[in-house]
């Protein structure tokens, strides 16, 4: 399977712009709604964003460093790696999401969070959009990045970008479900 490099980067930019707009819309929500959790051991909307911010804190500098040090010009196509493609596809939202274990340092449960989490996320999305723009000038296959679980494993830049952005999408879908449930709860309380 091969992707057109420009089409892949355009798709990832579109997704990232949607994530940015969604986060900006969250600013209008009451903080209580954003801290609502479906159960004692589930994440709130702000905890979902904080989780993404923690990953962004690793991946954005890692991607930036590798784009800046890449000496290879871009190709017109990108062929995913086996491991990278698996990681990226596993992040795509599905009808029924399969729960995944989170590394302890990436788990924000029971954190005291406010709307500054949204500000951090929106800034990270803006940086990600710039990285996607910059990625047009490098080879998405030959440029490699470390991953958060092990610096020994390196993925193709194209796979890393897909993983990060699909991971964001996965948790944005989770936030939408949380907020929809909160809205239903408010309606049933009024009835």
């Amino acid at each position: 399977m091969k992707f057109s490099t420009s089409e892949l980067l355009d798709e990832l930019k579109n997704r990232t712009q949607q994530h940015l707009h969604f986060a900006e819309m969250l600013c209008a929500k009451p903080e209580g709604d954003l801290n609502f959790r479906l159960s004692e051991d589930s994440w709130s909307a702000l905890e979902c964003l904080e989780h993404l911010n923690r990953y962004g804190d690793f991946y954005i500098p890692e991607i930036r460093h590798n784009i800046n040090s890449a000496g290879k010009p871009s190709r017109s196509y990108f062929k995913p790696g086996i491991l990278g493609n698996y990681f990226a596809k596993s992040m795509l939202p599905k009808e029924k999401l399969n729960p995944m274990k989170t590394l302890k340092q990436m788990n924000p449960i029971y954190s005291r969070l406010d709307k500054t989490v949204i500000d951090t996320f929106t800034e990270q999305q803006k940086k990600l959009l710039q990285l996607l723009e910059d990625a047009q000038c490098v080879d998405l296959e030959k440029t490699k990045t470390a991953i958060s679980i092990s610096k020994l494993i390196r993925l193709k830049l194209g796979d890393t970008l897909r993983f990060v952005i699909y991971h964001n999408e996965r948790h944005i879908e989770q936030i939408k479900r949380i907020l929809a449930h909160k809205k239903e709860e408010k309606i049933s309380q009024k009835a």
Side-chain angles (χ1 to χ4, degrees):
M1 156 182 45
K2 283 186 186 179
F3 297 104
S4 156
T5 298
S6 62
E7 286 176 16
L8 173 62
L9 291 173
D10 285 346
E11 178 223 336
L12 296 176
K13 281 184 217 168
N14 288 336
R15 287 178 189 257
T16 303
Q17 286 167 338
Q18 290 172 9
H19 302 162
L20 178 59
H21 294 309
F22 178 76
E24 289 168 344
M25 180 273 307
L26 288 178
C27 289
K29 300 277 185 201
E31 217 164 79
D33 289 3
L34 297 172
N35 277 303
F36 169 79
R37 60 179 83 234
L38 297 173
S39 68
E40 187 62 33
D41 60 346
S42 67
W43 289 348
S44 68
L46 289 179
E47 287 169 335
C48 290
L49 286 182
E50 175 62 16
H51 170 71
L52 296 177
N53 290 344
R54 292 177 185 190
Y55 273 96
D57 287 344
F58 173 81
Y59 281 105
I60 289 171
E62 176 67 14
I63 292 167
R64 162 66 48 222
H65 170 75
N66 288 289
I67 286 175
N68 288 344
S69 59
K72 300 172 178 58
S74 63
R75 294 184 194 192
S76 61
Y77 66 90
F78 169 71
K79 185 174 184 214
I82 295 170
L83 188 59
N85 195 45
Y86 170 78
F87 284 151
K89 283 182 157 185
S90 72
M91 287 299 118
L92 279 171
K94 299 171 186 67
E95 187 72 31
K96 172 134 174 55
L97 280 182
N98 53 323
M100 295 182 151
K101 281 281 193 194
T102 301
L103 297 172
K104 187 176 182 180
Q105 68 269 25
M106 300 299 187
N107 190 343
I109 196 157
Y110 310 125
S111 299
R112 294 178 54 93
L113 302 171
D114 58 30
K115 287 186 178 182
T116 59
V117 171
I118 301 170
D119 298 335
T120 302
F121 182 76
T122 57
E123 283 307 307
Q124 286 187 353
Q125 297 316 291
K126 291 174 185 173
K127 289 177 183 176
L128 202 48
L129 284 169
Q130 184 58 55
L131 290 172
L132 289 165
E133 199 63 41
D134 297 344
Q136 293 179 80
C137 301
V138 300
D139 189 326
L140 298 182
E141 284 187 42
K142 299 285 185 214
T143 307
K144 308 276 182 153
T145 64
I147 62 172
S148 60
I149 58 173
S150 171
K151 299 220 184 226
L152 300 174
I153 299 172
R154 297 182 64 77
L155 298 180
K156 296 176 179 184
L157 175 60
D159 287 330
T160 301
L161 290 167
R162 290 170 63 224
F163 169 81
V164 169
I165 293 164
Y166 295 169
H167 182 235
N168 288 348
E169 187 148 326
R170 176 186 184 86
H171 288 291
I172 284 172
E173 290 302 315
Q174 182 180 3
I175 292 169
K176 288 176 182 176
R177 285 192 306 279
I178 294 166
L179 294 177
H181 191 285
K182 178 63 177 169
K183 186 177 181 179
E184 289 171 15
E185 184 180 273
K186 281 183 175 180
I187 291 169
S188 68
Q189 287 175 350
K190 287 180 182 177

